[in-house]
């Protein structure tokens, strides 16, 4: 039976690869088809009527009639959908709301429709099939797979079910995977993250785990508890563990720690999912970036981040993007989000086909002095400084210190080390040099003596976990911001004397 499963996976992987090549080789045509279908299907909705969709024939028409909005700006429409009214943003009613915790909006209710939900499921499946096609490794389908995620217990609001996206998706696991899937349904329903991880350890420690998936910080906690209980490396415990699947954050700052916990290297596949849509997945182990999914019911626009906060910035389509430019990602979807700013920024690493990396968040940056530092830059600088050393970092975040007690202002790096550097100041200089090479604004501020070299503040073991717990965001899909333009996180560590 297992041999049949492996063969079937390889045949399906081959088919998906051929289909992917068809649409990815015709990006403009593929996106134009998606655009026309979206406009056609939503013309009779309230949003479509308010924005004269019946007069939209081109992208230029759309850009003139539909402004870029974030959740707050679209909220008057979403509130009507939440009230249970049909044909507001999309035809009929959504079948789910993915509930997310917004930083400025309180709880957000992101609609999922019968047209959009299949693409979430299909993209996750195709990411694994793409890996099988490239690597030829399908043996992991024989073993157990774990997906660290939110609770699948759903609430209801005006007749529409709601929950975390990962909990909603748990209801769509294919039957052929149910026997392989871990943890148990009952364990997945545990809300308290620490309790949940402990139970997952008990359930999986004696199983043949081959695929493990989840946000790096939370998988790291799982690995540490496994090692603590078994007194073995994870790779020794799970001899057939061969694939780690992750999304939401850059894995590079965690890679050295993971390899130490596992005891060997394993392949990894990066995903780019969100409640608003499943945007991309890593289709090649040998290529940088993730394949942007152009045929998944979403029309993409891109705004250069340097222009984003100006009046009427230029909106680019897939045929106009350039390599290495930082863009805010704007989407229109078959769930009824229109010219919607999801808050993520991307850079293209390839245009044939279109591959992207997530470079940060449009609101997560440091520019207290005009330096325009983004998440990708701090992650790369830390990685470069650690190369060739035994230094390992569990977690970190960066904030500006505008009013120091003495001396020039600086960027303060809060770092929780696994293995500390012998000389913290030398390590800080290495990071600073890497930052200056990447960001000319930052370099100018250092040269001009507006800023001094960055300062590292050590965070106690599990300090970041305690912080996330203190704000009610421990576990699940919650992520620590890599950098902030204020000192809200920094002040927590100062006030609680965790550093």
């Amino acid at each position: 039976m297992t041999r049949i499963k492996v063969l079937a996976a390889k045949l399906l992987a081959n088919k998906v690869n051929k289909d992917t090549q068809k649409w990815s080789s015709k990006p403009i045509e593929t996106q134009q088809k998606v655009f026309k279908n979206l406009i056609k299907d939503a013309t009779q909705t309230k949003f479509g009527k308010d924005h004269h969709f019946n007069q939209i024939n081109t992208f230029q028409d759309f850009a003139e009639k539909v402004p870029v909005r974030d959740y707050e700006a679209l909220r008057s429409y979403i509130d009507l959908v939440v009230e249970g009214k049909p044909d507001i943003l999309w035809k009929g009613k959504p079948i789910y709301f993915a509930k997310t915790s917004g930083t400025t909006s309180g709880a957000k209710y992101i609609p999922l429709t019968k047209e959009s939900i299949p693409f979430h499921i299909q993209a996750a499946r195709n990411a694994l099939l793409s890996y099988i096609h490239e690597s030829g490794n399908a043996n992991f389908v024989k073993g157990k797979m774990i997906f660290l995620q939110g609770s699948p217990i759903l609430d209801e609001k005006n007749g529409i079910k709601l929950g975390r996206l990962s909990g909603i998706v748990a209801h769509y696991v294919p039957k052929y995977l149910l026997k392989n899937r871990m943890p148990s349904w009952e364990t997945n329903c545990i809300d308290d993250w620490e309790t949940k991880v402990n139970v997952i350890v008990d359930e999986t420690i004696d199983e043949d785990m081959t695929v493990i998936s989840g946000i790096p910080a939370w998988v790291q906690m799982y690995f540490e508890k496994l090692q603590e209980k078994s007194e073995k490396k994870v790779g020794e415990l799970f001899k057939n563990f061969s694939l780690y699947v992750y999304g939401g954050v850059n894995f590079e700052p965690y890679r050295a720690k993971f390899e130490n916990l596992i005891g060997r290297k394993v392949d990894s596949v990066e995903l780019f999912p969100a409640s608003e849509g499943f945007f991309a997945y890593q289709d090649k182990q040998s290529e940088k970036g993730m394949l942007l999914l152009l045929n998944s019911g979403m029309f993409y626009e891109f705004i250069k981040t340097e222009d984003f906060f100006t009046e009427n910035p230029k909106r680019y389509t897939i045929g106009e993007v350039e390599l290495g430019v930082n863009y805010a990602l704007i989407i229109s979807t078959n769930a009824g989000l229109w010219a919607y700013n999801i808050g993520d920024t991307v850079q293209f690493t390839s245009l044939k086909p279109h591959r992207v990396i997530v470079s940060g968040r449009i609101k997560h940056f440091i520019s207290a002095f005009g330096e325009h530092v983004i998440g990708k830059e701090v992650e790369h600088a830390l990685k470069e400084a650690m190369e060739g050393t035994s230094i390992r970092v569990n977690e970190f975040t960066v904030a500006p210190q505008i009013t120091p007690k003495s001396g020039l202002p600086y960027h303060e790096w809060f770092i929780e080390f696994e293995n500390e550097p012998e000389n913290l100041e030398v390590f800080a200089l290495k990071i600073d040099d890497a930052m200056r090479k990447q960001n000319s604004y930052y370099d100018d501020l250092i040269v001009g003596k507006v800023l001094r070299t960055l300062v590292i503040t050590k965070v106690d073991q599990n300090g970041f976990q305690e912080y996330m717990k203190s704000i009610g965001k421990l576990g699940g899909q919650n992520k620590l911001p890599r950098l902030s333009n204020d000192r809200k996180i920094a002040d927590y560590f100062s006030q609680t004397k965790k550093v």
Side-chain angles (χ1 to χ4, degrees), residues 204-231:
T204 58
I205 199 164
D206 295 320
E207 296 288 348
D208 179 22
M209 304 304 302
T210 55
V211 177
I212 295 173
S213 175
I215 287 177
W218 311 122
V219 173
Q220 180 178 308
M221 185 195 294
Y222 167 60
F223 282 172
E224 287 169 343
K225 288 180 180 293
L226 277 170
Q227 192 176 66
E228 185 182 327
K229 185 161 185 176
S230 68
E231 297 183 344

Side-chain angles (χ1 to χ4, degrees), residues 99-358:
K99 187 177 180 181
T100 70
S101 51
T103 52
T104 57
S105 311
K108 292 183 180 181
Y109 296 92
I110 306 297
L112 295 167
T113 63
K114 70 179 191 298
E115 289 83 9
S116 71
I117 194 74
F119 286 112
H120 285 271
I121 314 306
Q122 184 185 85
R125 180 204 69 174
N126 288 356
L128 292 179
L129 291 170
S130 180
Y131 169 78
I132 288 172
H133 181 266
E134 183 195 15
S135 68
N137 172 27
N139 288 328
F140 62 79
V141 302
K142 301 175 187 176
K144 296 292 179 77
M145 307 178 189
I146 188 168
F147 300 87
L148 295 178
Q149 59 188 188
S151 171
I153 297 175
L154 304 180
D155 297 321
E156 198 167 289
K157 200 168 185 72
N158 296 320
I160 299 169
K161 291 179 179 178
L162 70 97
R164 294 280 184 180
L165 176 67
S166 60
I168 292 169
V169 169
H171 291 262
Y172 288 84
V173 177
K175 286 183 180 177
Y176 63 83
L177 277 183
L178 284 176
K179 286 184 179 179
N180 298 61
R181 185 184 175 89
M182 302 286 290
S184 66
W185 183 269
E186 293 75 19
T187 299
N188 246 351
C189 293
I190 297 171
D191 272 327
D192 181 76
W193 187 252
E194 289 175 293
T195 304
K196 185 173 186 169
V197 172
N198 285 325
V199 177
I200 290 173
V201 167
D202 291 339
E203 281 191 358
T204 58
I205 199 164
D206 295 320
E207 296 288 348
D208 179 22
M209 304 304 302
T210 55
V211 177
I212 295 173
S213 175
I215 287 177
W218 311 122
V219 173
Q220 180 178 308
M221 185 195 294
Y222 167 60
F223 282 172
E224 287 169 343
K225 288 180 180 293
L226 277 170
Q227 192 176 66
E228 185 182 327
K229 185 161 185 176
S230 68
E231 297 183 344
K232 293 179 180 178
K233 297 282 188 184
V234 173
E236 186 184 349
L237 193 63
F238 303 142
K239 290 182 170 56
N240 296 312
F241 172 39
S242 61
L243 185 63
Y244 171 54
V245 182
Y246 68 95
V249 298
N250 184 2
F251 181 47
E252 288 309 315
Y254 299 93
R255 190 178 293 277
K257 178 66 185 293
F258 266 54
E259 287 178 3
N260 180 260
L261 286 166
I262 298 166
R264 55 182 165 83
K265 292 184 178 182
V266 298
D267 286 346
S268 61
V269 171
E270 183 177 8
L271 312 178
F272 184 11
S275 299
E276 295 87 351
F278 201 125
F279 308 118
Y281 60 74
Q282 183 181 351
D283 65 319
K284 296 287 183 186
Q285 292 288 301
S286 57
E287 298 287 341
K288 188 179 181 184
M290 295 172 282
L291 183 71
L292 189 64
L293 302 179
L294 303 176
N295 70 331
S296 294
M298 288 179 286
F299 178 74
Y300 299 98
E301 301 175 55
F302 308 90
I303 298 175
K304 292 180 180 179
T305 54
E306 61 195 48
D307 301 330
F308 186 81
F309 293 104
T310 63
E311 192 173 348
N312 297 319
K314 179 171 172 54
R315 294 156 66 173
Y316 298 87
T317 57
I318 198 67
E320 302 170 295
V321 294
E322 303 171 64
L323 293 173
V325 176
N326 211 37
Y327 294 103
L329 182 61
I330 311 299
I331 59 169
S332 296
T333 77
N334 55 7
L337 300 176
W338 300 102
Y340 185 87
N341 169 29
I342 67 166
D344 286 310
T345 60
V346 299
Q347 289 181 7
F348 283 89
T349 59
S350 165
L351 300 181
K352 290 183 178 181
H354 286 80
R355 293 192 183 96
V356 296
I357 57 169
V358 181

Side-chain angles (χ1 to χ4, degrees), residues 469-484:
K469 190 175 181 179
S470 75
I471 59 170
K473 291 190 175 183
L474 182 68
Q477 301 303 301
N478 299 310
K479 297 163 284 190
L480 176 79
R482 277 283 172 255
L483 66 181
S484 314

Side-chain angles (χ1 to χ4, degrees), residues 10-20 133:
K10 287 184 175 180
L11 289 171
L12 184 56
N14 189 48
K15 179 184 182 302
V16 166
N17 180 66
K18 286 179 180 175
D19 292 343
T20 300
H133 181 266

Side-chain angles (χ1 to χ4, degrees), residues 377-392:
E377 291 169 345
V378 295
E379 288 173 338
H380 180 83
L382 181 62
K383 180 189 175 188
E384 188 175 311
M386 286 172 26
E387 279 175 359
T389 75
S390 61
I391 299 166
R392 287 199 296 274

Side-chain angles (χ1 to χ4, degrees), residues 78-88 92-94 97 157-160:
I78 293 176
D79 284 348
L80 293 174
V81 180
V82 173
E83 287 171 17
K85 292 183 169 54
D87 304 318
I88 303 298
K93 296 181 184 181
F97 291 119
K157 200 168 185 72
N158 296 320
I160 299 169

Side-chain angles (χ1 to χ4, degrees), residues 47-110:
F47 189 94
K49 291 174 182 175
D50 289 350
H51 294 80
H52 309 290
F53 274 24
N54 61 340
Q55 298 172 23
I56 293 176
N57 296 306
T58 66
F59 169 66
Q60 286 70 30
D61 295 337
F62 180 77
E64 286 172 11
K65 297 181 189 305
V66 183
V68 172
R69 291 176 167 97
D70 60 12
Y71 186 86
E72 277 304 304
L74 197 65
R75 189 165 194 156
S76 60
Y77 289 97
I78 293 176
D79 284 348
L80 293 174
V81 180
V82 173
E83 287 171 17
K85 292 183 169 54
D87 304 318
I88 303 298
L89 286 165
W90 190 252
K91 54 191 178 183
K93 296 181 184 181
I95 53 177
Y96 298 103
F97 291 119
K99 187 177 180 181
T100 70
S101 51
T103 52
T104 57
S105 311
K108 292 183 180 181
Y109 296 92
I110 306 297

